[in-house]
Amino acid sequence: MDLLKGYADEDEDMKPSEEESSDPSNPSGHGGAAAAAAEAPSSPESGSSSSPPRLSLGSKSSAPSVDETALALTAAGSARSAHRPLDPTQHAVGFNPTYDQLWAPVLGPAHPFAKDGLAQGLRNHKLGFVEDAAIQPFLFDEQYNTFHKFGYATDPSGLSVVGDLDTLAANAALSVYNLPPQEQKRRRLHLKSRDHDADADAGAGAGASSADAENPATDDWLLKNRKSPWSGKKEAVQGELTEDQRKYAEAHAQKKAEKEGRGEGGRGDKPELVVKSTFHGKEERDYQGRSWIAPPKDAKATNDHCYIPKRLVHTWSGHTKGVSAIRFFPKHGHLLLSASMDSKVKIWDVFNSGKCMRTYMGHSKAVRDISFSNDGSKFLSAGYDKNIQYWDTETGQVISTFSTGKIPYVVKLNPDEDKQNILLAGMSDKKIVQWDMNSGQITQEYDQHLGAVNTITFVDNNRRFVTSSDDKSLRVWEFGIPVVIKYISEPHMHSMPSISLHPNSNWLAAQSLDNQILIYSTKERFQLNKKKRFAGHIAAGYACQVNFSPDGRFVISGDGEGKCWFWDWKSCKVFRTLKCHDGVCIGCEWHPLEQSKVATCGWDGMIKYW
């Protein structure tokens, strides 16, 4: 009871102090409470009669404090960004934009280097940014022609119409390609009635205008022959010849009469081609009686190691058209034989004067291929006049001529010393023809290819030969036996117009028309060596010659851009390229003795020595 009484007295004592603190006349409630607290210990009565004072603590929260300023700024920024267009340069969007924002035009200051304010990265057309529209050509033509005829067209989106809406409503939104059935019927009836009226008019005035109807220059003839392909076009009636036309006709008739008088008019009578040869050197024999084709005595290899040429040494420019093939004189290389599209074959001095020594003129059309005999005293030439000529290199005389009536694409002598009288020729009629030049008779025909034969390469000690053709295949033959012993054809293969044998006779390099050089083994299986592939040049469409250096360390080839490419045999990497010709670099030959000398020929008519 005493305890309860003490609490009640304390409450009565606290009430006046609360009234004082709530009194408006008191300037500070906290000051009154402090004064009461200061008087409390000074009165012994209150201290003895009341319980110990209570301490009131402020309320606390265990949640972390939150900075509401940043939250408010973020909310305001997102609200503001929800109403402005997107920045096209940003890569991430932090909110879900509306359709209007996504397709809003680009706003902002004008670009300093763009006329219309579009940055350079945003334009895909010289006038700005053009969107791709997937529309078929027929639909585009339909709307284009409809707009130019009627004045309206459908928008590419298909949701609206552009142009004259009144005409659109009058035509029921028809295009030029879908006329209504009643319109088609009306036009058909109109044409029929017009034809009927024309026929009636023609019947009525037939007697009077029969002469006019027969004259193509009159309108009556046009009405009568309206159904002809030339209806609506007046044919010009041939008038008198002008003075120039009459002179030309008389001159042409006179030339024709002269040709017929000489016997040149018939198709079967071909003028006889005069075979001749011109020597351009100083003398055909020197003071010791040696022939001009005799190799120099000091011509021998100085080193077995070959090097890539770096600069141009000499240029031969005697041909008037492109050069199709070049061949060095066998073993010594002191002379260079060239075949050209001007129907001439020339032989050039390499070591001394560097001039043309002799010109062989025996073909009436371009010369396709040439091939030396083993000792170089004779050579073969194949021309587009369908003839194969066997020449004496020294005198320029034609020893014999061979022809099957087809174009020979490649000619080759059997490399065996005892078979130098055997001639092989790949023809345009898919055959390889074998002649015995002593008798002039065809002794064998190898007829398996499905296209014109491009190359003949002897392998395996000349017991076999490999041929390539336009049928994109390789065929291996036993010499003298017209049966294919190996047929190489794959779906991925291309035609191989040039093949060369490696100096060690173990590999064949084939120029494939898919811009690469493939290597085939010459062993029993003739497998493709997939680890060796030489690429980088552009030879597609051209029969660019591929060749090897005498030591076999480098592969060389021309290309369609006039360059000569050198690859390393072991690593298959491009070693060097030389810009050799203005047109196609069709042929390239490494000198047999001088290790760093290469000859190239091109369709610009030049032969260059590097």
Side-chain angles (χ1 to χ4, degrees):
M1 292 296 290
D2 294 339
L3 184 59
L4 293 174
K5 185 179 180 182
Y7 281 133
D9 295 340
E10 186 179 352
D11 289 341
E12 291 176 0
D13 294 338
M14 290 292 289
K15 281 180 183 177
S17 63
E18 290 176 2
E19 292 173 0
E20 289 176 6
S21 63
S22 60
D23 187 8
S25 63
N26 188 7
S28 174
H30 296 288
E39 291 173 358
S42 61
S43 61
E45 295 178 0
S46 63
S48 59
S49 63
S50 65
S51 62
R54 287 183 302 165
L55 295 177
S56 60
L57 299 176
S59 63
K60 287 190 177 183
S61 173
S62 61
S65 60
V66 178
D67 188 4
E68 296 182 358
T69 307
L71 186 62
L73 290 175
T74 304
S78 62
R80 189 165 56 250
S81 64
H83 298 286
R84 71 174 179 218
L86 289 175
D87 181 8
T89 60
Q90 67 183 14
H91 299 287
V93 181
F95 62 97
N96 290 332
T98 62
Y99 178 84
D100 295 333
Q101 286 177 270
L102 285 174
W103 296 102
V106 178
L107 301 178
H111 195 275
F113 304 116
K115 295 179 182 178
D116 51 3
L118 275 178
Q120 201 66 28
L122 293 176
R123 61 175 67 233
N124 59 3
H125 187 268
K126 62 182 181 180
L127 299 179
F129 180 79
V130 179
E131 291 185 2
D132 292 333
I135 182 170
Q136 296 179 357
F138 172 78
L139 298 178
F140 178 84
D141 292 341
E142 181 183 20
Q143 297 304 323
Y144 178 83
N145 295 326
T146 303
F147 185 81
H148 281 276
K149 183 169 184 179
F150 297 137
Y152 60 86
T154 305
D155 186 66
S157 64
L159 303 176
S160 60
V161 177
V162 180
D164 189 355
L165 299 180
D166 297 335
T167 310
L168 174 74
N171 291 345
L174 290 174
S175 69
V176 291
Y177 292 159
N178 52 1
L179 291 172
Q182 59 269 22
E183 175 68 16
Q184 293 180 2
K185 186 176 180 181
R186 188 184 66 79
R187 291 187 181 186
R188 197 162 52 246
L189 292 173
H190 177 69
L191 284 174
K192 188 181 290 186
S193 63
R194 193 173 65 182
D195 291 343
H196 181 71
D197 295 343
D199 292 342
D201 294 342
S209 61
S210 60
D212 293 339
E214 296 299 325
N215 186 3
T218 61
D219 292 336
D220 293 336
W221 184 89
L222 289 178
L223 287 173
K224 180 182 176 183
N225 298 278
R226 184 185 292 117
K227 299 284 179 68
S228 72
W230 296 276
S231 64
K233 299 179 184 177
K234 292 186 179 182
E235 292 186 1
V237 180
Q238 178 65 45
E240 290 292 328
L241 292 176
T242 63
E243 187 68 22
D244 294 339
Q245 289 174 334
R246 190 172 52 78
K247 285 182 179 179
Y248 178 80
E250 290 175 357
H252 181 70
Q254 185 178 356
K255 282 183 182 178
K256 190 173 182 182
E258 288 177 359
K259 278 188 178 181
E260 289 176 354
R262 291 198 305 264
E264 296 179 7
R267 287 177 177 265
D269 301 334
K270 291 185 179 178
E272 186 65 28
L273 179 66
V274 179
V275 177
K276 62 179 181 177
S277 176
T278 307
F279 182 71
H280 306 288
K282 290 183 179 179
E283 50 191 5
E284 295 198 23
R285 295 190 176 273
D286 64 0
Y287 69 97
Q288 289 184 337
R290 290 179 300 187
S291 170
W292 63 273
I293 68 167
K297 298 248 176 128
D298 58 346
K300 58 182 179 180
T302 56
N303 191 353
D304 293 337
H305 210 67
C306 290
Y307 301 93
I308 303 289
K310 294 181 180 178
R311 61 185 180 87
L312 182 63
V313 177
H314 190 74
T315 302
W316 293 288
S317 57
H319 287 292
T320 58
K321 291 184 180 179
V323 182
S324 54
I326 53 174
R327 301 287 184 268
F328 274 113
F329 196 89
K331 298 177 184 175
H332 299 93
H334 63 291
L335 297 172
L336 179 67
L337 191 68
S338 64
S340 171
M341 300 176 193
D342 59 5
S343 75
K344 295 176 184 176
V345 179
K346 289 178 180 283
I347 192 163
W348 313 81
D349 182 36
V350 176
F351 279 176
N352 300 318
S353 64
K355 295 180 180 178
C356 179
M357 298 300 291
R358 187 179 278 280
T359 302
Y360 308 88
M361 293 167 282
H363 291 279
S364 60
K365 293 185 179 179
V367 185
R368 163 79 185 214
D369 191 30
I370 46 178
S371 177
F372 268 117
S373 62
N374 281 359
D375 58 358
S377 62
K378 301 175 182 63
F379 71 89
L380 290 163
S381 66
Y384 282 98
D385 57 358
K386 304 176 183 176
N387 289 332
I388 301 171
Q389 308 276 23
Y390 189 42
W391 300 84
D392 187 306
T393 310
E394 182 181 356
T395 63
Q397 299 295 318
V398 173
I399 301 171
S400 51
T401 302
F402 308 93
S403 178
T404 63
K406 302 296 180 182
I407 299 174
Y409 281 170
V410 56
V411 287
K412 194 66 72 80
L413 287 172
N414 190 309
D416 281 342
E417 290 293 340
D418 59 340
K419 294 177 183 172
Q420 283 286 286
N421 62 321
I422 303 297
L423 160 64
L424 285 174
M427 313 300 287
S428 60
D429 63 346
K430 315 169 191 174
K431 294 180 183 178
I432 300 116
V433 183
Q434 179 178 316
W435 275 278
D436 183 351
M437 291 191 294
N438 292 340
S439 64
Q441 300 297 316
I442 294 177
T443 58
Q444 192 61 268
E445 281 189 356
Y446 306 84
D447 187 9
Q448 292 277 332
H449 275 292
L450 304 175
V453 181
N454 291 324
T455 65
I456 299 172
T457 310
F458 281 89
V459 296
D460 194 15
N461 293 324
N462 307 324
R463 292 198 299 263
R464 299 172 179 170
F465 61 93
V466 182
T467 59
S468 67
S469 164
D470 286 344
D471 61 7
K472 305 179 183 178
S473 71
L474 295 178
R475 284 174 164 85
V476 186
W477 315 76
E478 287 276 0
F479 178 73
I481 303 173
V483 179
V484 174
I485 63 171
K486 181 70 176 180
Y487 170 59
I488 304 169
S489 180
E490 297 290 341
H492 58 78
M493 283 175 60
H494 287 68
S495 181
M496 298 178 184
S498 175
I499 292 180
S500 181
L501 185 64
H502 192 276
N504 65 10
S505 302
N506 291 332
W507 305 100
L508 284 173
Q511 179 82 263
S512 180
L513 284 188
D514 57 348
N515 298 328
Q516 60 181 345
I517 297 171
L518 304 177
I519 306 298
Y520 288 89
S521 168
T522 59
K523 301 301 180 187
E524 290 294 326
R525 302 185 63 187
F526 288 89
Q527 281 186 320
L528 174 66
N529 188 342
K530 296 182 179 178
K531 293 183 179 179
K532 285 199 181 298
R533 175 180 163 274
F534 303 91
H537 60 315
I538 306 297
Y542 303 104
C544 296
Q545 184 183 357
V546 60
N547 224 317
F548 288 96
S549 61
D551 61 355
R553 291 179 56 241
F554 299 107
V555 181
I556 179 176
S557 170
D559 79 345
E561 298 174 344
K563 295 178 184 175
C564 186
W565 291 68
F566 298 85
W567 292 271
D568 184 57
W569 170 253
K570 285 188 177 179
S571 65
C572 301
K573 293 181 179 178
V574 178
F575 210 91
R576 183 172 296 156
T577 58
L578 295 175
K579 176 63 176 174
C580 299
H581 298 275
D582 292 335
V584 181
C585 180
I586 199 71
C588 54
E589 283 263 334
W590 210 293
H591 196 281
L593 294 184
E594 295 190 335
Q595 285 76 19
S596 62
K597 300 286 182 69
V598 171
T600 62
C601 66
W603 285 2
D604 56 358
M606 300 291 178
I607 305 167
K608 296 188 178 182
Y609 195 40
W610 301 83

